[in-house]
């Protein structure tokens, strides 16, 4: 059964020349200079033991403190290569998503919800506080 094995909020994620993620400035909280405002951040997460045969659809929702979805991303994963399908080994993937100019209406606990093929894999909270530092 698939599960999330890593999750990070950060300023940005880029891939190096070998396809490995480079996470810039992991975030413990989101600190916009004004609220309400728009804020850009990224997430990086790993999923272990995804289905190798069926089509996989991942929904990534970002929710406000009132559980209202304020951003949604849907990813349809490509088919696995035949040589991977034929092995008994489980498959893991790394996914990076940028939330560009996401509307932050109020302070509080926001969260990212990840759903794979209709089943919730997890929710990952992050607090939002207006910063007083210029």
């Amino acid at each position: 059964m698939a599960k999330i094995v890593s999750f990070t909020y950060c300023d940005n994620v880029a891939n190096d020349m070998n396809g490995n993620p480079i996470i810039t400035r992991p975030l413990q909280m989101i600190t916009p200079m004004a609220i309400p405002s728009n804020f850009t951040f990224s997430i990086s997460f790993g999923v272990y033991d995804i289905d190798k045969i069926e089509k996989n659809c991942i929904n990534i929702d970002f929710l406000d403190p009132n559980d209202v979805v304020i951003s949604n991303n849907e990813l349809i994963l490509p088919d696995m290569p035949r040589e991977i399908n034929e092995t008994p080994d489980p498959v893991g993937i790394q996914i990076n998503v940028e939330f560009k100019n996401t509307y932050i209406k109020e302070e509080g606990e926001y969260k990212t919800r990840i759903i794979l093929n209709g089943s919730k894999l997890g929710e990952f909270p992050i607090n939002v506080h207006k910063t007083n530092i210029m």
Side-chain angles (χ1 to χ4, degrees):
M1 177 175 208
K3 64 181 177 179
I4 303 291
V5 292
S6 63
F7 186 96
T8 302
Y9 286 98
C10 56
D11 270 354
N12 190 32
V13 182
N15 290 330
D16 68 14
M17 293 185 341
N18 296 319
N20 298 312
I22 300 171
I23 294 173
T24 305
R25 198 172 156 254
L27 299 173
Q28 289 71 43
M29 67 186 76
I30 293 176
T31 55
M33 294 179 70
I35 293 179
S37 68
N38 293 331
F39 196 81
T40 298
F41 62 95
S42 295
I43 61 170
S44 182
F45 65 95
V47 182
Y48 172 78
D49 201 16
I50 63 170
D51 193 309
K52 295 188 283 186
I53 306 300
E54 298 298 319
K55 284 279 185 200
N56 287 291
C57 176
I58 297 181
N59 285 81
I60 304 158
D61 298 330
F62 189 65
L63 295 89
D64 72 10
N66 302 304
D67 282 341
V68 174
V69 175
I70 56 175
S71 182
N72 172 269
N73 292 276
E74 180 178 274
L75 308 172
I76 306 296
L77 301 182
D79 293 337
M80 298 287 167
R82 195 176 100 221
E83 50 279 0
I84 290 177
N85 286 343
E86 294 174 350
T87 70
D89 299 331
V91 173
I93 58 170
Q94 185 72 27
I95 297 174
N96 308 315
V97 177
E98 182 178 45
F99 292 90
K100 209 170 202 50
N101 296 319
T102 302
Y103 184 63
I104 303 295
K105 180 180 177 179
E106 60 187 313
E107 290 184 314
E109 185 177 272
Y110 288 68
K111 62 186 167 189
T112 299
R113 179 175 55 211
I114 300 174
I115 298 169
L116 174 65
N117 300 330
S119 296
K120 183 168 74 169
L121 296 183
E123 292 184 342
F124 303 89
I126 189 161
N127 287 308
V128 173
H129 297 284
K130 180 179 173 255
T131 185
N132 294 318
I133 301 172
M134 295 296 226

